[in-house]
Amino acid sequence: MLRWSAQETGRTIDFSGIVDTTVAPGIAGGAELVALARAAIGHDVDAVPAQKVASVIGPDAAVRAAAVAGAFELYNRIVDATGLPVGRVQRERLADVVETLGLDEFPHAGHGV
Amino acid sequence: MFDFAESPFDIPQSIADMCRRTWEDLAEPGTTWTGADRIAIAERARDTRLDRDGETAELPPAAVDVVDLMSGAPATTSREWIDGVVAELGEQAYLEIVGIVARVVAIDTFTRLVGVAPEPFPEASPGPAVAEPPPAKARKGKAWVNMAGFPVPPNVLSLVPKAQRATNLTAETLYMTGAQMESPDTTIDTLHRTQIEVVATTVSHGNECFY
């Protein structure tokens, strides 16, 4: 989805910015959005990283980013709980992203192939 | 409930309404679990996610295992583990727990990120679970549980229709609707689709979710 959106809208994304905080993803607020998403996974109940996002790309975007982070905490759980397969075609289409992000190291990497 | 008064942000009405509706739904009798069971599942999911000890109302050990794993380490599921807990709980009961945990973690994550303390859970409504038959044409295919329709996230809990509807409401309100997903150039609340997917990809990577 990320690569599709970027390609179709003429944006250039550096996927390594997802896993390496020293690399800017290359979109407005990219580093702040990655920081917010990382905070979503962590357990720091005092963190309000959305304020950093808001300072760069606005409060409405910050709230939506927080919502998306919540949504993917949901999606990740329901697909891993049900063994939803990733098909061979999709894997092949995303081979470069899989390599950049190291996805083959993940527990369910081989499922559905 | 969910007035977001502590937040420095204006929260969209659609999100606040969905949060309230979700909490009301959690308290109601489900397809296989009572309202009290469902609130116990929700409380344990929150405690596990926050790495804190809490008093958990009595749940079957297999149900506790599901809540703990789905809250804290969802990527460590396996076909064998799922087969085991399904054999003990039943497939609908397993999937109903998954839906509850996923929704609680999603909403707790959102509220924390916008600077709000976790919303207390409501008091459980009385009454027994209300059975709902699974769809007749459910099948596993290459997935690890039975589901109806195409093997995509909006269908993975479809063996428990009530849970699937509730989970889809939460997911679509926080992320985007099916119609919005059709466009790579969508902007929601000033956040462009590419920025949305940066957040989505980072969360999924952090959870080691390959899908």
Side-chain angles (χ1 to χ4, degrees):
Chain A
M1 288 296 203
L2 174 56
R3 192 173 67 171
W4 175 62
S5 173
Q7 283 179 337
E8 293 294 319
T9 59
R11 290 168 167 82
T12 302
I13 294 281
D14 188 338
F15 292 100
S16 61
I18 302 288
V19 291
D20 182 350
T21 55
T22 66
V23 175
I27 57 169
E32 291 76 15
L33 290 168
V34 168
L36 178 140
R38 287 172 176 265
I41 303 157
H43 302 175
D44 182 359
V45 295
D46 296 323
V48 191
Q51 288 178 322
K52 292 178 183 169
V53 175
S55 70
V56 179
I57 54 175
D60 291 346
V63 172
R64 180 52 56 179
V68 172
F72 275 78
E73 288 281 40
L74 181 156
Y75 280 126
N76 292 169
R77 281 169 173 77
I78 64 173
V79 300
D80 282 341
T82 56
L84 197 62
V86 176
R88 186 187 302 274
V89 172
Q90 187 177 356
R91 271 191 63 98
E92 289 173 357
R93 190 167 55 83
L94 296 173
D96 59 329
V97 179
V98 170
E99 183 175 350
T100 301
L101 300 182
L103 305 186
D104 270 329
E105 301 298 317
F106 289 179
H108 295 171
H111 177 47
V113 176
Chain B
M1 184 162 59
F2 286 109
D3 61 10
F4 292 100
E6 302 167 52
S7 177
F9 301 103
D10 291 332
I11 305 301
Q13 191 64 46
S14 60
I15 293 180
D17 288 346
M18 178 277 294
C19 291
R20 289 185 202 104
R21 178 68 199 110
T22 298
W23 256 223
E24 291 165 1
D25 174 80
L26 291 178
E28 296 170 0
T31 303
T32 60
W33 300 99
T34 66
D37 293 334
R38 289 159 59 87
I39 293 298
I41 290 164
E43 287 175 338
R44 186 167 182 99
R46 172 177 285 170
D47 288 339
T48 303
R49 180 83 179 112
L50 296 177
D51 287 333
R52 69 185 188 191
D53 292 326
E55 280 192 27
T56 301
E58 194 157 316
L59 291 168
V64 171
D65 288 346
V66 173
V67 175
D68 289 355
L69 190 142
M70 291 315 307
S71 302
T76 60
T77 54
S78 66
R79 178 190 288 271
E80 293 72 25
W81 178 81
I82 291 171
D83 287 347
V85 292
V86 164
E88 289 196 45
L89 298 170
E91 199 168 18
Q92 281 193 313
Y94 167 70
L95 291 172
E96 189 173 340
I97 295 173
V98 170
I100 294 167
V101 172
R103 286 185 289 155
V104 167
V105 173
I107 290 174
D108 276 1
T109 297
F110 171 73
T111 55
R112 174 168 56 86
L113 291 177
V114 297
V116 174
E119 180 73 28
F121 293 112
E123 191 169 327
S125 301
V130 182
E132 184 177 12
K137 293 186 176 177
R139 58 187 289 271
K140 283 187 180 175
K142 286 186 176 179
W144 295 340
V145 301
N146 286 291
M147 60 186 71
F150 290 109
V152 291
N155 292 331
V156 291
L157 305 181
S158 54
L159 208 66
V160 189
K162 183 175 187 287
Q164 185 70 76
R165 288 191 296 272
T167 303
N168 288 350
L169 172 66
T170 303
E172 289 188 0
T173 305
L174 293 176
Y175 181 43
M176 62 181 77
T177 64
Q180 288 170 318
M181 285 185 205
E182 299 286 321
S183 170
D185 206 17
T186 295
T187 295
I188 305 175
D189 297 335
T190 74
L191 198 65
H192 185 266
R193 180 68 182 269
T194 305
Q195 295 168 307
I196 288 172
E197 300 304 346
V198 164
V199 175
T201 304
T202 306
V203 171
S204 297
H205 186 274
N207 281 328
E208 298 192 337
C209 181
F210 188 89
Y211 190 87

